[in-house]
Amino acid sequence: MAETYYLVSDLHIGGDEQLEMVDFLEEFLTFLRELERSDEDAELIVNGDAFGLWEFTEVEGLAKFDELVDRYPELFEQLRATGEEVQITLIPGNHDYELAAYPEYVDLLAEYNVTLEQTTAIERDVGEYAIHVEHGMQEDPNNRIPDFGNPYANPPGYFVNRQITSRAGRISGRGKYNWLKDIQAVTPMTQIPDWMISNYFYREMSPWLRYASVPFLLLFNLGLAYVVVYLLDSLGLWSFPLDTFQSLLADFGPIGRLVDLFFAANLVLVGLLIAVSIPLYLFARDVRTTLRRFGLVRPPRDRDPVAKYHDRAREVFAEDSAVAVYVYGHTHRPAVTEIDDRLVVNTGTWLKRLHRVEVLVGILPPVYYTSYQLNYVRVTAANDGVRVEYDVIDKPDPDDETLLQRLITRSPKRRSAIPRETIVSPSREQASDLEESDAADR
């Protein structure tokens, strides 16, 4: 066992056409070179989804590995060099699940000094304690592997990637802006429709149509208020001096008439949208009901999406009192959370991160700001416990947003407040209590 462990996950290297672009390749090579030059007794653990094997659709089986080596020779040569100095261990995620399904991958990766563990989870000793590492797809119903090791036991997410993600990579270059390749960064997948509508409106729509519609959509709320006031006044439920308002606008000459015309046009637009939205809403609700009846769509849940991973961590802690840190990836959301005197760590992703931001006014599509959070986790023994260090490799944000997107939104906070260092000193007695409590609940 090593004295120091470095953990990364969700690199998603590889895929059809535009998906082969790796924005962080230089940073990852630098990271590997620094490990190669270090004097530490260390092990690098790649916690799943190192490669995008699901996203290869034009080659099958072991030929995907040949494609990876041909496309990224510098990466594999650096893996070979780093692996001569520190141990490199890889466990499969869902996107590179085929690594678990073909025993030949063990020997192929061994040629580059990478140890492939064809299992869902591994543990490593850290002083008197241990860390438990798994990718996390087994807690995700859409990506859980039903028969781990069977090359044909693919979850629903596999077919989504084959039909949507890979196709997006093949056609991304046809757009006015090469944005479809970033579809892998959209999490959860339920955000994909909104993300595509956003990019269509701000990037692909004809400019004259977009800028002609922006004033109406930005002031939709004001127009809706005008409709409500107009209806209340017409029905005699609330009196508003519309005539006085229109006379006031007339005093401003051509500008006032233009504003009045705008309100009239917005009135028509709001009316049309309301007229269309009512039958569409009824139709969509009936379709959702039908899909739920057949079990194709699950009803919405209010539960915190990370709660299932915290529950899984509690199970691991209860099963083995030596485990002080539970590490997972998969969700692309880096986090360090203390639970029951122990630690739950999400290793995040090296892909772009998308931050959904609603517009300040109107009904324009949301804006997805992009940034990088190239992070790694370093785990070592501490006095009577385990030290977990969280570090981020600097990489400038892509600044992909258009001028219009910046004007109608506020830039989001880019990075979560994750402590630079956390030390946990778990109580073995507490773990025993957790195990007894868990057994009682069952």
Side-chain angles (χ1 to χ4, degrees):
M1 291 292 181
E3 294 180 355
T4 303
Y5 299 96
Y6 289 87
L7 297 110
V8 299
S9 74
D10 294 271
L11 305 172
H12 294 269
I13 295 172
D16 288 348
E17 297 192 27
Q18 298 296 319
L19 296 180
E20 71 181 71
M21 297 175 62
V22 181
D23 296 326
F24 55 84
L25 184 57
E26 282 306 314
E27 288 83 1
F28 191 59
L29 289 172
T30 300
F31 172 68
L32 291 174
R33 293 184 190 115
E34 290 176 354
L35 286 181
E36 178 190 359
R37 292 191 295 265
S38 72
D39 296 327
E40 294 180 299
D41 177 14
E43 178 181 0
L44 170 62
I45 299 175
V46 184
N47 183 23
D49 284 356
F51 306 115
L53 298 184
W54 273 0
E55 285 75 24
F56 283 109
T57 60
E58 297 176 354
V59 292
E60 298 295 336
L62 300 175
K64 296 182 180 182
F65 187 81
D66 296 333
E67 284 288 326
L68 287 170
V69 175
D70 289 342
R71 290 183 185 181
Y72 314 104
E74 191 176 3
L75 169 63
F76 280 89
E77 286 307 313
Q78 187 57 55
L79 287 171
R80 191 201 304 271
T82 303
E84 290 178 354
E85 304 300 327
V86 302
Q87 182 178 345
I88 301 176
T89 302
L90 171 64
I91 64 173
N94 50 303
H95 285 261
D96 52 15
Y97 164 64
E98 290 174 46
L99 296 178
Y102 296 93
E104 294 89 344
Y105 273 120
V106 175
D107 293 331
L108 288 171
L109 284 164
E111 293 179 14
Y112 297 94
N113 294 324
V114 176
T115 301
L116 172 63
E117 302 241 7
Q118 295 179 306
T119 183
T120 58
I122 60 176
E123 289 193 0
R124 294 291 186 267
D125 292 335
V126 185
E128 297 181 359
Y129 295 92
I131 58 172
H132 178 100
V133 183
E134 56 186 60
H135 180 64
M137 74 277 191
Q138 296 301 84
E139 306 306 312
D140 179 356
N142 293 318
N143 290 289
R144 180 185 299 120
I145 309 301
D147 181 17
F148 194 82
N150 181 347
Y152 304 106
N154 291 305
Y158 167 82
F159 301 99
V160 172
N161 276 271
R162 299 282 289 189
Q163 299 301 319
I164 298 178
T165 308
S166 295
R167 185 163 301 187
R170 291 195 296 272
I171 65 176
S172 183
R174 302 178 190 176
K176 296 178 181 178
Y177 175 85
N178 191 8
W179 56 272
L180 266 172
K181 64 181 176 60
D182 294 331
I183 193 170
Q184 296 178 99
V186 184
T187 55
M189 289 191 301
T190 53
Q191 287 283 323
I192 288 178
D194 287 349
W195 176 76
M196 295 190 71
I197 290 171
S198 174
N199 278 284
Y200 163 72
F201 182 84
Y202 295 112
R203 302 187 189 279
E204 299 295 334
M205 180 182 282
S206 173
W208 71 265
L209 178 60
R210 176 169 57 249
Y211 287 106
S213 62
V214 160
F216 294 98
L217 297 175
L218 278 176
L219 296 176
F220 176 82
N221 296 337
L222 186 59
L224 184 61
Y226 187 81
V227 170
V228 173
V229 169
Y230 182 84
L231 289 175
L232 291 175
D233 184 74
S234 300
L235 296 173
L237 299 176
W238 183 60
S239 178
F240 183 83
L242 288 173
D243 293 338
T244 304
F245 177 68
Q246 292 174 340
S247 299
L248 180 63
L249 290 177
D251 293 339
F252 288 91
I255 295 177
R257 287 194 292 273
L258 183 62
V259 172
D260 190 35
L261 179 62
F262 172 80
F263 274 116
N266 222 35
L267 181 67
V268 173
L269 177 63
V270 171
L272 287 173
L273 289 174
I274 293 175
V276 171
S277 64
I278 292 175
L280 283 179
Y281 169 76
L282 295 174
F283 175 75
R285 189 176 69 172
D286 189 70
V287 169
R288 283 197 302 269
T289 301
T290 302
L291 292 175
R292 287 174 188 165
R293 190 181 307 131
F294 284 95
L296 299 176
V297 173
R298 292 182 174 85
R301 297 179 179 178
D302 296 329
R303 198 181 185 207
D304 183 350
V306 303
K308 56 191 173 187
Y309 299 102
H310 291 174
D311 290 344
R312 169 61 181 155
R314 290 187 178 94
E315 289 178 4
V316 171
F317 297 150
E319 290 169 359
D320 187 351
S321 62
V323 175
V325 182
Y326 170 85
V327 183
Y328 73 105
H330 185 60
T331 68
H332 296 190
R333 297 184 182 93
V336 176
T337 308
E338 291 193 49
I339 292 181
D340 301 326
D341 230 8
R342 283 164 167 75
L343 217 56
V344 177
V345 176
N346 185 299
T347 41
T349 182
W350 284 48
L351 295 173
K352 283 180 182 176
R353 299 195 69 212
L354 301 179
H355 312 263
R356 176 180 172 135
V357 179
E358 302 295 338
V359 299
L360 297 174
V361 292
I363 58 168
L364 290 169
V367 174
Y368 288 83
Y369 279 75
T370 56
S371 68
Y372 291 105
Q373 194 164 336
L374 312 184
N375 55 273
Y376 63 89
V377 175
R378 182 174 182 269
V379 181
T380 56
N383 292 333
D384 300 324
V386 177
R387 175 184 290 105
V388 174
E389 298 172 83
Y390 175 84
D391 207 348
V392 176
I393 298 171
D394 289 334
K395 183 176 177 62
D397 291 340
D399 291 329
D400 292 335
E401 299 77 35
T402 65
L403 177 60
L404 175 60
Q405 289 176 309
R406 294 179 185 277
L407 288 174
I408 60 177
T409 57
R410 290 194 181 97
S411 180
K413 294 181 179 179
R414 299 304 180 86
R415 293 194 174 120
S416 57
I418 298 176
R420 176 69 180 79
E421 177 181 289
T422 307
I423 298 178
V424 289
S425 301
S427 165
R428 298 295 181 93
E429 290 75 14
Q430 183 183 15
S432 300
D433 293 341
L434 286 171
E435 188 173 2
E436 293 175 3
S437 175
D438 186 63
D441 291 338
R442 290 197 295 267

